[in-house]
Amino acid sequence: MPPVLQLRGITKRFPGVLANDHIDLELDEGQVLSLLGENGAGKSTLMNVLGGLDRPSAGRAWVDGKDLLKLSNRDLNQYRRSEVGFVWQHGARNLISYLDAFENVKLPMTLAGRAGRRVDQRARDLLETVGLGDRMH
């Protein structure tokens, strides 16, 4: 089975800054990865590339067999909408304060036109997966 995540030579440059320098990485289904590093080490830049929010300056990135650099803007929007979820470190950017954790997780699925028990279960499963099941409501 091919890796669910494969990076080859991912490099991201900004004017005067080399944020990511030739990153190679493979993750198989079920593996978990933590990115640790000091401020400015390039963690968020790498996540932005993986999430389809930014394109690398060089290298290749595949997620679930999708070559992120070959996706059209429309396909990239679909990828971000259906395959990727971000929770930014600054809550004001992404959490709706009057919704509980369960409702915040469920919201993107609802906006995508999904509803029902499967959506509720998926939201519960996601919160459990990241250790927030006890903070659901």
Side-chain angles (χ1 to χ4, degrees):
M1 181 175 261
V4 293
L5 170 68
Q6 188 174 23
L7 305 179
R8 294 288 176 255
I10 291 294
T11 299
K12 181 62 181 174
R13 290 183 181 88
F14 296 100
V17 176
L18 179 60
N20 298 135
D21 188 14
H22 294 90
I23 296 172
D24 292 323
L25 176 68
E26 283 189 6
L27 287 177
D28 293 323
E29 188 171 336
Q31 286 186 298
V32 177
L33 172 71
S34 295
L35 294 177
L36 304 173
E38 296 180 17
N39 288 342
K43 303 175 299 294
S44 294
T45 300
L46 180 60
M47 294 303 297
N48 285 343
V49 168
L50 293 176
L53 298 173
D54 205 354
R55 298 206 187 241
S57 306
R60 303 293 298 272
W62 296 267
V63 178
D64 281 336
K66 293 175 185 71
D67 186 337
L68 297 185
L69 286 106
K70 289 188 175 181
L71 293 179
S72 67
N73 285 338
R74 181 182 181 137
D75 290 339
L76 204 53
N77 283 336
Q78 181 62 33
Y79 166 76
R80 287 189 295 253
R81 186 178 303 123
S82 64
E83 312 250 350
V84 179
F86 274 94
V87 178
W88 302 100
Q89 64 188 8
H90 303 290
R93 283 190 183 175
N94 60 71
L95 299 176
I96 298 176
S97 62
Y98 56 84
L99 298 179
D100 62 27
F102 176 76
E103 293 166 326
N104 266 289
V105 169
K106 198 172 133 176
L107 182 61
M109 293 180 273
T110 302
L111 293 174
R114 299 183 194 137
R117 291 182 187 156
R118 289 179 52 194
V119 168
D120 290 350
Q121 187 59 51
R122 178 72 174 145
R124 281 192 284 280
D125 290 347
L126 289 169
L127 287 166
E128 290 289 342
T129 297
V130 297
L132 293 175
D134 62 330
R135 301 179 78 185
M136 209 168 297
H137 297 285

